[in-house]
Amino acid sequence: MKDNYPNKFIFEAEKFNILIVEDSISMLKMLNQNFLDNKFNTFLASSLKEAREVVKRNKIDYIILDINLPDGSGYELIEDLATSSIKIVVVTSDNDPLIRESFYEKGIIDFLNKDKNFLYKISEIPNLIKQIEKNKLKNVLIIDDSYIFRNKLKNVISNRNYKVFESSSTSESLEIIYSENIDLILLDCEIENNNAYNFLVHNKKMILDE
């Protein structure tokens, strides 16, 4: 899909508050400097208790969260903020895919492994935040006849700031495509006993024109 909003996005890092939660002083300083160099406002915490106090007293937009803290697990903070609008980037050495899947729906936008590429990943976090904010201008259409699947997928996608439209039928999907600027369509391969290929072929011109 084409970019329907090529000239409307202006990112101002100084308007965003970043909380860095890390018990390693050297790592905390490195992360902090990375964000300061990119003009973000930063708050620092080295424990779960300090992090909760910062969140309580300040408007935080993003959290860079180490999971292993001296007074508890970072996952406790994730649970605390599961219904908030705060976006969280987790720093961890844990590669358990089941844990990741369960927390992607609770404000997690990415997991950063402490591996040989860790320093590069840190340097890319400001760009990740910029992209997450730019996503607010993008519309995604999910076409699937399973409510459970649509809802699960919607939670993950909307967490990354996309505006999400849902449809359980091809006719409803076409109405949405006609009325909205859809940038991305996620289409079930089989819907209403018709395969996705036929739907796309029959409506190719209209979809691409949108």
Side-chain angles (χ1 to χ4, degrees):
M1 289 293 178
K2 65 181 180 180
D3 188 348
N4 296 302
Y5 314 94
N7 300 313
K8 292 185 178 181
F9 180 71
I10 298 176
F11 182 74
E12 298 174 285
E14 61 271 16
K15 292 185 177 181
F16 294 91
N17 294 332
I18 312 297
L19 168 59
I20 305 170
V21 186
E22 171 62 64
D23 62 338
S24 167
I25 299 302
S26 60
M27 184 68 70
L28 191 65
K29 290 181 178 179
M30 182 170 58
L31 286 165
N32 185 44
Q33 192 61 53
N34 181 41
F35 283 104
L36 292 178
D37 289 344
N38 285 277
K39 312 301 181 184
F40 289 94
N41 301 313
T42 61
F43 295 83
L44 308 180
S46 58
S47 67
L48 192 59
K49 180 180 179 181
E50 290 178 5
R52 284 170 168 156
E53 285 297 316
V54 172
V55 171
K56 181 179 179 180
R57 297 177 181 178
N58 302 275
K59 179 185 178 300
I60 300 299
D61 300 293
Y62 289 84
I63 297 177
I64 312 303
L65 177 63
D66 184 21
I67 290 300
N68 299 313
L69 298 170
D71 57 345
S73 169
Y75 288 122
E76 295 179 51
L77 185 62
I78 294 172
E79 292 287 1
D80 291 347
L81 302 175
T83 59
S84 77
S85 62
I86 299 175
K87 308 297 183 184
I88 303 173
V89 175
V90 169
V91 176
T92 180
S93 56
D94 190 347
N95 291 316
D96 189 335
L98 295 179
I99 293 178
R100 295 189 178 204
E101 182 178 353
S102 65
F103 281 96
Y104 267 125
E105 298 181 27
K106 298 181 180 181
I108 304 300
I109 58 174
D110 208 354
F111 284 82
L112 300 185
N113 289 330
K114 292 181 177 179
D115 55 21
K116 62 181 181 180
N117 298 316
F118 185 59
L119 293 181
Y120 171 76
K121 293 175 183 177
I122 289 175
S123 69
E124 285 298 302
I125 298 178
N127 290 330
L128 172 63
I129 292 176
K130 182 178 180 179
Q131 182 59 57
I132 294 295
E133 292 302 313
K134 188 175 183 179
N135 288 348
K136 292 177 179 178
L137 299 176
K138 299 293 185 180
N139 298 330
V140 176
L141 171 59
I142 302 172
I143 308 174
D144 196 293
D145 53 10
S146 168
Y147 170 79
I148 295 176
F149 180 79
R150 290 201 316 272
N151 191 58
K152 186 173 183 179
L153 191 56
K154 178 182 179 180
N155 288 339
V156 174
I157 295 173
S158 59
N159 182 46
R160 300 183 75 85
N161 282 341
Y162 292 101
K163 183 177 181 180
V164 179
F165 296 86
E166 298 178 70
S167 173
S168 60
S169 68
T170 54
S171 58
E172 182 183 16
S173 301
L174 290 175
E175 291 180 6
I176 295 173
I177 293 170
Y178 270 119
S179 61
E180 304 292 341
N181 290 318
I182 301 299
D183 300 283
L184 176 66
I185 297 175
L186 301 178
L187 175 63
D188 184 13
C189 292
E190 295 291 336
I191 185 170
E192 295 178 333
N193 297 319
N194 295 315
N195 64 56
Y197 177 77
N198 286 337
F199 172 77
L200 291 175
V201 168
H202 292 159
N203 300 283
K204 179 180 178 181
K205 185 178 187 304
M206 184 272 292
I207 291 174
L208 293 179
D209 285 345
E210 288 296 313

